[in-house]
Amino acid sequence: MLLKTLGLYEHRYKLPNQLSGGQQQRTAIGRAIVKNPDILLCDEPTGALDYYTSKEILKLIETINQKYGNTVILVTHNDAIKNMADRVVKLRDGAVRKNYKNEEKISASKLEW
């Protein structure tokens, strides 16, 4: 069940204003993946979250990618997040500056910043 994967099953009857920021972010991710898209676009999914909640969201994105096999494109200013990616593309002023396969990928749970 998707609500269990998202860690929201016990909050299923709450209204949006009764959810924490992290729970609201997980709800948004759930809405994005409910129809099992081939590509999941994540624009700053941790931008407004604290460190702990950010790591939980990244672990969730990683779990969804592994469980459902969809492609995840994650845009972020947090340089540490690149370490969990299969491929890293760095942009500056709309131009690709770097594009490489990450040979030293680590799990989201081991990210530090």
Side-chain angles (χ1 to χ4, degrees):
M1 172 179 250
L2 182 57
L3 284 177
K4 289 183 180 180
T5 300
L6 295 168
L8 293 170
Y9 185 78
E10 60 275 4
H11 304 287
R12 65 189 175 277
Y13 298 115
K14 289 185 178 178
L15 297 172
N17 66 344
Q18 296 173 315
L19 299 172
S20 71
Q23 292 164 342
Q24 290 176 8
Q25 191 72 347
R26 288 194 295 273
T27 300
I29 292 168
R31 285 192 339 250
I33 66 167
V34 72
K35 291 189 174 186
N36 196 21
D38 292 332
I39 300 174
L40 181 61
L41 303 173
C42 302
D43 183 11
E44 292 285 359
T46 63
L49 303 175
D50 61 70
Y51 176 78
Y52 174 76
T53 306
S54 293
K55 291 209 37 168
E56 290 299 312
I57 293 299
L58 293 172
K59 285 190 264 183
L60 173 62
I61 290 169
E62 182 178 61
T63 299
I64 288 166
N65 173 251
Q66 292 168 352
K67 187 172 185 176
Y68 299 106
N70 49 6
T71 298
V72 176
I73 298 174
L74 195 145
V75 178
T76 184
H77 287 92
N78 184 338
D79 201 49
I81 294 174
K82 75 177 188 279
N83 296 317
M84 69 178 275
D86 293 316
R87 174 162 296 280
V88 178
V89 179
K90 288 190 171 196
L91 303 172
R92 182 179 297 151
D93 298 327
V96 174
R97 299 296 176 163
K98 291 183 181 178
N99 180 353
Y100 61 93
K101 183 175 180 180
N102 185 2
E103 299 293 339
E104 299 177 20
K105 182 179 170 181
I106 63 173
S107 69
S109 62
K110 294 183 180 176
L111 291 177
E112 293 292 333
W113 63 88

